[in-house]
């Protein structure tokens, strides 16, 4: 799905398909060099990172193991604000002891998710844990996260596309965009009406 397909929902595009491809290609070239001869495990955080992982893993020139985790940074609530309470929904199905891990993330907001995940994988005995995040809302960081492979720094706006959702929608948009504010309002109103009826 492209911006043109949902033009009436979109306020503006923030990162184009081409910019995403360029960044992923540059990052993949670095990663391929850095992990040459090592047995790299890419860990993607579902669901938001599924597109980034697919693109990055195809762009690297070394064989990699691919694993998924599902964690929730705001369990049980539909909101555009994320908090520090993290819940594992689906754990890794493999041992990480002695492994070189690259966490693939869609976006860093407060930083709590990555801060928690890096520490958790280190405590399980990984040989190294590095991070690639496609987008970074730098002004919103509340905890420090060391990001070896940085993505695009974006302003403090809620974005959708390339894996990122609003209320489980728009993940299949092929670029990164900001929705019109009435998209959020409409849905929040519908949810409230649903509760009362
Ligand atoms: P953090 O723990 O605050 O860094 O939050 C990171 C997670 O919040 C991301 O992996 C996303 O799932 C979600 N998130 C943060 N900002 C956005 C956004 O603008 N659009 C969609 N999801 C977001
Ligand atoms: Mg995420």
């Amino acid at each position: 799905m492209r911006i043109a397909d949902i033009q009436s929902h979109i306020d503006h595009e923030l990162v184009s398909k081409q910019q995403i491809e360029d960044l992923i290609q540059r990052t993949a070239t670095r990663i391929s060099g850095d992990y040459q001869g090592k047995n790299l495990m890419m860990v993607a955080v579902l669901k938001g990172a599924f597109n980034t992982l697919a693109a990055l893993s195809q762009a690297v020139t070394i064989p990699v193991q691919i694993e998924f985790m599902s964690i929730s940074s705001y369990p049980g609530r539909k909101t555009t604000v994320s908090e520090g309470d993290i819940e594992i929904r689906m754990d890794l199905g493999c041992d990480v002891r002695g492994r070189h891990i690259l966490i693939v993330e869609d976006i860093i907001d407060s930083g709590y998710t990555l801060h928690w995940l890096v520490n958790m994988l280190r405590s399980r005995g990984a040989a190294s844990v590095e991070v690639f995040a496609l987008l970074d809302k730098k002004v919103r960081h509340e905890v420090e996260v060391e990001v070896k492979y940085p993505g695009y720094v974006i302003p403090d706006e809620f974005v959708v596309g390339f894996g990122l959702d609003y209320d489980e929608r728009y993940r299949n948009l092929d670029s990164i965009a900001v929705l019109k504010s009435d998209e959020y309002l409409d849905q929040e109103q519908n949810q409230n009406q649903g509760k009362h009826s």
Side-chain angles (χ1 to χ4, degrees):
M1 182 172 77
R2 302 183 202 155
I3 293 273
D5 298 316
I6 50 163
Q7 198 65 61
S8 64
H9 306 215
I10 300 293
D11 190 87
H12 59 280
E13 186 179 66
L14 210 54
V15 187
S16 70
K17 184 173 188 276
Q18 189 61 53
Q19 285 175 306
I20 295 172
E21 279 171 15
D22 291 348
L23 174 80
I24 287 180
Q25 189 52 59
R26 284 198 302 276
T27 307
T29 303
R30 275 186 67 196
I31 289 168
S32 303
D34 291 351
Y35 290 94
Q36 190 71 53
K38 290 179 179 163
N39 192 3
L40 175 62
M41 184 193 296
M42 289 186 178
V43 172
V45 184
L46 291 174
K47 301 175 189 172
F50 85 96
N51 256 328
T52 303
L53 176 85
L56 182 72
S57 65
Q58 291 194 357
V60 294
T61 56
I62 53 171
V64 297
Q65 180 176 342
I66 289 170
E67 298 293 340
F68 296 99
M69 272 194 84
S70 177
I71 59 188
S72 166
S73 43
Y74 30 88
R77 284 198 293 133
K78 286 198 186 105
T79 172
T80 51
V81 181
S82 54
E83 285 178 2
D85 48 336
I86 314 273
E87 187 181 81
I88 298 185
R89 286 186 182 151
M90 186 187 79
D91 206 341
L92 287 173
C94 62
D95 193 348
V96 301
R97 270 176 295 178
R99 299 298 306 274
H100 294 285
I101 296 179
L102 177 69
I103 300 171
V104 178
E105 250 291 38
D106 49 1
I107 189 166
I108 309 174
D109 186 358
S110 67
Y112 282 121
T113 304
L114 275 173
H115 181 81
W116 176 88
L117 190 55
V118 168
N119 288 336
M120 193 275 279
L121 293 171
R122 284 195 180 133
S123 74
R124 288 185 182 181
S128 68
V129 182
E130 301 293 353
V131 172
F132 168 56
L134 180 66
L135 303 170
D136 191 348
K137 289 187 195 171
K138 265 213 159 97
V139 295
R140 285 182 49 90
H141 288 198
E142 288 172 35
V143 285
E144 185 134 0
V145 184
E146 212 181 294
V147 182
K148 181 158 183 187
Y149 305 101
Y152 287 111
V153 174
I154 61 165
D156 182 8
E157 288 183 291
F158 195 82
V159 294
V160 297
F162 211 76
L164 290 149
D165 71 310
Y166 172 65
D167 200 14
E168 295 302 330
R169 300 175 74 206
Y170 306 106
R171 291 192 198 277
N172 60 318
L173 179 64
D174 70 358
S175 64
I176 303 288
V178 176
L179 295 175
K180 282 190 176 146
S181 56
D182 53 351
E183 278 301 304
Y184 305 117
L185 289 175
D186 282 355
Q187 290 194 32
E188 270 154 31
Q189 271 161 11
N190 288 342
Q191 278 160 24
N192 288 338
Q193 278 163 12
K195 263 188 230 142
H196 296 302
S197 61

